[in-house]
Amino acid sequence: MPASTELIRNIGIVAHIDAGKTTTTERILYYAGASHRMGQVDEGTTQTDFDPEEAKRGITIYSAAVTCHWKDCTINIIDTPGHVDFTAEVQRSLRVLDGAVVVFSAVEGVEAQSETVWRQADEFQVPRLCFINKMDRIGADFDRTLGQVRDRLKGNPVVLTIPIGAGHDFKGIVDLLQMKALYFDRETMGREIEVTDIPEDMQETAATWRSRLLDAVSMLDDDIMTAYLEGEEISADEINRVLRAGTLARELQPTYCGSSLDYCGVQPVLDGVNNYLPSPLDVPPVEGINPKPKKGEDEHAIRKVDVDEPFAGLIFKIAADKHADMCFVRVYSGVLKSGSRALNPRTGRKELISQLWHIQAGHREKIETDAVEAGGIVGVIGPKDVVTGDTLCDQKQPIILESISFPETVISMAVEPDSSADRKKLEDALLQLAKQDPTFKAKVSDETGQTIISGMGELHLEVLRERLQRDFNLNVKVHKPRVSYRETVQKPVEAEGEFSRTTAGETQFARVRIRVEPFETERGVEVDSELTPGELPKEQIRIVLETIQEAAQSGGVVGYPLMKVRFTLVSIDFREGETTEEALRAATSHAVQNALSEADVALLEPVMKLEVVTPGEFLGNIQADLNTRHARILGSEPRGHLTSMAAEVPLARMFGYSTLVRSLSQGRASYSMEPLKYDLAPPSVLEEMFG
């Protein structure tokens, strides 16, 4: 750890699949001296894609943490997946990072997953830099990609380096701060940089871009505006100061270009990380809730990035290990020490912090000081009863930090072990996988007794199936994937449930009235109470609200979990000595059933956002096929020599699409698909289900 927190950068590298995130990370680690050999994605030798499945497929599946030092700063980097099935890895990384580098391919431009990660960065208020990669590829277009960042992402990219040539003619970059040309030596893998005057044929272009840079900077600072209008020279330090303020305020994104594969343009990005992205001190204090406020105390709590504050940290990832699970923790305040005990306020349990580890992708080193200060990211061994999104904090001053919400699963399949002897082993393995991956769920079907696993897409479930075989030595039979449907209500209804029973002279009684109504919510089901505080004992109300939540999970009329629904507790008819927990739970369950039977329950199906990129001559075939799949075509736009088409389509119609789209386009089209929303399923879906 550096002496000063202001010299720490916690950043993520995010992008669409194949934009070059992992290659860029490899180059960063090499130039920063954190690795002595540069790995290649195609050879499966990169540091951050250390999982065998990643090396085999040539894609990033799990976010990996690595640390390097560039000039004065310590940079903690998380390399995240680009494939939509693993979007939760991006989400939980962005939740704990202070800044991000968004990588775009200069050939494909802004792609579907680029939009998703940009939106997630907006949601978590993460300042970012842009890197337009692959300038050496045929079809690379710097201006077009820049325009898409503005138009499609509503970004404000401020260009700091421009390319000299493109495609096979790409030679180097012009640094608009120094107004010099930079050429990166291939023989030394880009380590040696030749700094020369800008070529004559580029001078006019460079001057135009430099004036655009000064325009953007002067808009943010009155002193620079005055100096600029009076024709005074503006120093690089002044420009850097204003760019940093604009980046931290998320008003602009410093933008670079280059080719990571060709060793060109990565070092200026590292300078940008140091100069413009926030340190933990530049980020607002983290906010949370005090679970046990003393009388007169506000339940709202904040923690500053300060070693003298009480300790608070967030578990953003859990990685299984043969000996003990490793929890990835972002330390927000105070100091985390090995051998100490930290409170998990969700469970009320004190968790032992046995060991602290410095994570370097697939390797780890024990932290010699046995302590990590505010602003750090660390691997912790010891906590037992924890899940992703849990807070660890000081026992005397508890705080619950905002957890991480994940999207609903959209696809499921039945799995069974090869032999009945492996059934318990499978159950344990699935529990462990669900603990690590919050978008993976496993449950046993009440009707068939089958184990059903659910996830974000076909690739997600395929990777998990292969992990069962490789990591847990379990051969499983899998059934055809199925869509994860949901149910909702279409009209508001009030209903009550009653439980009354007398046995052995003792009467148990409870009457509960609830209201159910359609309600747009991110969480699936909202449960509220209209009872005034103090009207009934808190414990009674807690039991009823808990039972409503459980009943909602067990499903509506068809048996799928409910979503987009709000339940409100209207009243409890309570009798001293007769209203027991059993009576309350039974009455509440009856009330939920009665309400749902009258509330016009409808089936929801997952609808996907689809983007197909194809040569123009195959567009008609692909569009005709999508029409047969009940897709809603939203439009198409040229993307270099290709055409990109956007559509919304029910997931149920898209199984096996990858093979078909290849045959429709002679293998030249590609597509990406991500969950968009749950929408009302047509009546034909129910007919197919029940014949």
Side-chain angles (χ1 to χ4, degrees):
M1 295 289 291
S4 173
T5 308
E6 68 194 40
L7 297 177
I8 297 176
R9 301 288 181 271
N10 293 317
I11 67 161
I13 312 269
V14 297
H16 185 91
I17 191 168
D18 271 351
K21 286 180 313 306
T22 301
T23 304
T24 303
T25 308
E26 280 299 309
R27 303 300 182 253
I28 286 172
L29 294 176
Y30 182 68
Y31 298 137
S35 70
H36 304 294
R37 181 179 170 277
M38 216 180 281
Q40 303 293 346
V41 172
D42 294 344
E43 295 167 15
T45 55
T46 62
Q47 268 206 58
T48 52
D49 286 353
F50 55 86
D51 186 86
E53 202 60 41
E54 296 177 309
K56 184 174 97 177
R57 293 174 187 272
I59 63 169
T60 304
I61 294 171
Y62 309 107
S63 52
V66 287
T67 299
C68 63
H69 303 273
W70 182 250
K71 297 182 178 171
D72 297 334
C73 289
T74 294
I75 306 175
N76 296 318
I77 302 174
I78 296 191
D79 176 34
T80 60
H83 196 287
V84 66
D85 283 18
F86 310 105
T87 191
E89 288 283 340
V90 185
Q91 212 161 331
R92 59 181 168 190
S93 302
L94 285 172
R95 168 69 176 81
V96 297
L97 292 170
D98 302 325
V101 175
V102 188
V103 182
F104 300 98
S105 161
V107 181
E108 284 83 12
V110 172
E111 299 174 87
Q113 188 66 2
S114 319
E115 289 189 53
T116 304
V117 295
W118 194 272
R119 198 171 58 242
Q120 288 171 330
D122 280 342
E123 186 187 327
F124 292 115
Q125 302 184 345
V126 176
R128 64 214 84 144
L129 310 180
C130 299
F131 178 53
I132 297 175
N133 189 25
K134 301 195 177 183
M135 283 306 308
D136 60 324
R137 293 262 302 273
I138 295 171
D141 191 326
F142 179 72
D143 289 351
R144 187 188 72 236
T145 306
L146 210 55
Q148 290 178 350
V149 172
R150 286 193 192 99
D151 301 339
R152 290 180 65 172
L153 304 180
K154 303 295 178 271
N156 180 18
V158 174
V159 175
L160 293 172
T161 63
I162 58 170
I164 302 172
H168 290 324
D169 299 326
F170 178 62
K171 299 182 186 72
I173 60 174
V174 172
D175 179 337
L176 298 174
L177 277 177
Q178 300 177 59
M179 286 304 274
K180 292 286 183 184
L182 309 183
Y183 298 97
F184 297 78
D185 180 37
R186 279 190 65 90
E187 295 297 313
T188 60
M189 295 185 174
R191 264 189 183 280
E192 288 183 14
I193 304 169
E194 186 189 349
V195 181
T196 67
D197 290 335
I198 298 166
E200 266 186 48
D201 61 343
M202 282 286 296
Q203 282 182 3
E204 200 177 315
T205 307
T208 305
W209 282 103
R210 168 80 177 187
S211 66
R212 288 179 193 168
L213 167 61
L214 293 175
D215 282 345
V217 170
S218 61
M219 294 295 285
L220 297 174
D221 189 281
D222 292 343
D223 294 342
I224 288 184
M225 171 75 85
T226 307
Y228 182 45
L229 291 174
E230 290 174 3
E232 292 176 23
E233 190 60 37
I234 297 160
S235 70
D237 286 348
E238 281 292 282
I239 295 172
N240 280 338
R241 177 182 62 77
V242 177
L243 284 177
R244 180 173 180 78
T247 306
L248 296 185
R250 304 191 314 284
E251 290 172 352
L252 56 85
Q253 299 82 36
T255 299
Y256 300 85
C257 67
S259 164
S260 295
L261 194 64
D262 213 24
Y263 317 112
C264 182
V266 175
Q267 291 95 324
V269 177
L270 273 167
D271 288 336
V273 168
N274 281 12
N275 292 337
Y276 310 128
L277 288 183
S279 77
L281 295 172
D282 296 313
V283 179
V286 69
E287 298 186 10
I289 290 165
N290 180 353
K292 292 180 179 171
K294 291 177 182 147
K295 208 167 184 182
E297 259 187 3
D298 186 3
E299 68 168 20
H300 182 74
I302 65 165
R303 293 285 185 273
K304 294 178 191 145
V305 181
D306 190 331
V307 292
D308 296 327
E309 286 268 299
F311 161 66
L314 187 82
I315 297 174
F316 66 96
K317 176 171 172 152
I318 298 171
D321 194 278
K322 290 187 177 85
H323 311 296
D325 289 349
M326 170 83 77
C327 300
F328 288 59
V329 175
R330 165 71 194 261
V331 181
Y332 281 105
S333 64
V335 181
L336 178 60
K337 296 176 181 168
S338 63
S340 64
R341 286 189 178 272
L343 176 71
N344 177 352
R346 179 182 63 84
T347 60
R349 282 187 55 170
K350 291 169 190 167
E351 298 286 355
L352 177 65
I353 309 300
S354 305
Q355 298 168 353
L356 299 179
W357 293 85
H358 168 68
I359 312 282
Q360 196 70 1
H363 309 289
R364 59 191 192 199
E365 300 154 14
K366 205 153 186 294
I367 290 177
E368 290 171 17
T369 56
D370 285 337
V372 176
E373 295 182 355
I377 289 175
V378 64
V380 176
I381 288 181
K384 296 275 188 287
D385 186 13
V386 290
V387 295
T388 299
D390 272 357
T391 302
L392 293 177
C393 63
D394 187 291
Q395 296 174 39
K396 291 178 185 155
Q397 298 197 40
I399 184 173
I400 300 176
L401 303 176
E402 186 189 343
S403 191
I404 311 171
S405 57
F406 295 102
E408 289 280 332
T409 58
V410 295
I411 185 171
S412 56
M413 61 163 92
V415 296
E416 50 187 279
D418 258 1
S419 66
S420 54
D422 282 343
R423 192 164 293 284
K424 178 74 176 84
K425 199 173 163 189
L426 174 65
E427 204 177 294
D428 293 342
L430 293 177
L431 272 174
Q432 201 159 357
L433 289 177
K435 189 176 183 183
Q436 290 177 65
D437 183 348
T439 56
F440 169 72
K441 292 183 171 55
K443 66 169 190 177
V444 176
S445 164
D446 295 337
E447 293 145 36
T448 61
Q450 284 179 312
T451 300
I452 309 290
I453 60 172
S454 308
M456 300 307 298
E458 289 182 86
L459 178 62
H460 186 197
L461 293 185
E462 195 182 310
V463 165
L464 287 164
R465 192 184 77 211
E466 294 194 13
R467 279 200 65 193
L468 284 173
Q469 194 164 350
R470 190 185 69 243
D471 296 353
F472 299 95
N473 204 16
L474 263 171
N475 283 321
V476 291
K477 296 177 190 150
V478 296
H479 298 262
K480 240 169 57 175
R482 299 180 312 185
V483 170
S484 295
Y485 290 100
R486 295 286 184 270
E487 292 181 66
T488 192
V489 300
Q490 298 194 83
K491 64 178 184 187
V493 164
E494 274 197 24
E496 63 179 38
E498 185 179 307
F499 180 84
S500 182
R501 185 174 69 191
T502 305
T503 48
E506 281 192 14
T507 301
Q508 291 190 66
F509 171 84
R511 186 183 294 123
V512 173
R513 187 167 190 79
I514 63 165
R515 181 169 59 254
V516 63
E517 59 197 321
F519 185 68
E520 281 300 325
T521 171
E522 293 293 312
R523 287 195 303 216
V525 173
E526 288 277 346
V527 180
D528 293 329
S529 169
E530 276 183 0
L531 301 185
T532 51
E535 192 177 325
L536 285 168
K538 272 187 181 174
E539 184 60 18
Q540 309 276 355
I541 296 171
R542 185 192 64 77
I543 289 166
V544 171
L545 297 180
E546 209 176 77
T547 309
I548 292 174
Q549 194 79 51
E550 287 163 7
Q553 278 307 307
S554 59
V557 176
V558 185
Y560 292 107
L562 290 161
M563 75 181 297
K564 297 186 182 182
V565 171
R566 177 163 65 189
F567 287 93
T568 306
L569 171 58
V570 177
S571 65
I572 300 176
D573 196 348
F574 172 82
R575 293 180 190 168
E576 196 67 54
E578 292 185 4
T579 302
T580 61
E581 180 175 339
E582 185 190 347
L584 275 173
R585 288 192 182 277
T588 306
S589 295
H590 291 322
V592 171
Q593 285 164 12
N594 294 341
L596 292 177
S597 63
E598 297 171 35
D600 200 3
V601 173
L603 194 67
L604 295 171
E605 66 176 353
V607 173
M608 311 299 280
K609 179 180 170 186
L610 175 74
E611 183 178 63
V612 185
V613 179
T614 175
E617 63 262 37
F618 306 114
L619 191 64
N621 293 352
I622 289 169
Q623 194 162 339
D625 172 68
L626 286 174
N627 287 333
T628 66
R629 296 171 187 269
H630 300 187
R632 188 163 75 88
I633 311 288
L634 302 175
S636 59
E637 62 174 16
R639 191 173 282 179
H641 59 287
L642 301 170
T643 301
S644 161
M645 180 166 58
E648 292 177 6
V649 59
L651 174 62
R653 306 270 173 182
M654 294 302 286
F655 290 130
Y657 186 65
S658 53
T659 310
L660 194 105
V661 81
R662 280 199 293 272
S663 69
L664 287 173
S665 63
Q666 297 171 12
R668 290 166 65 197
S670 63
Y671 79 98
S672 66
M673 192 165 66
E674 64 175 293
L676 175 67
K677 60 184 177 182
Y678 270 87
D679 217 345
L680 286 174
S684 57
V685 174
L686 273 172
E687 285 164 23
E688 283 170 28
M689 278 182 190
F690 299 106

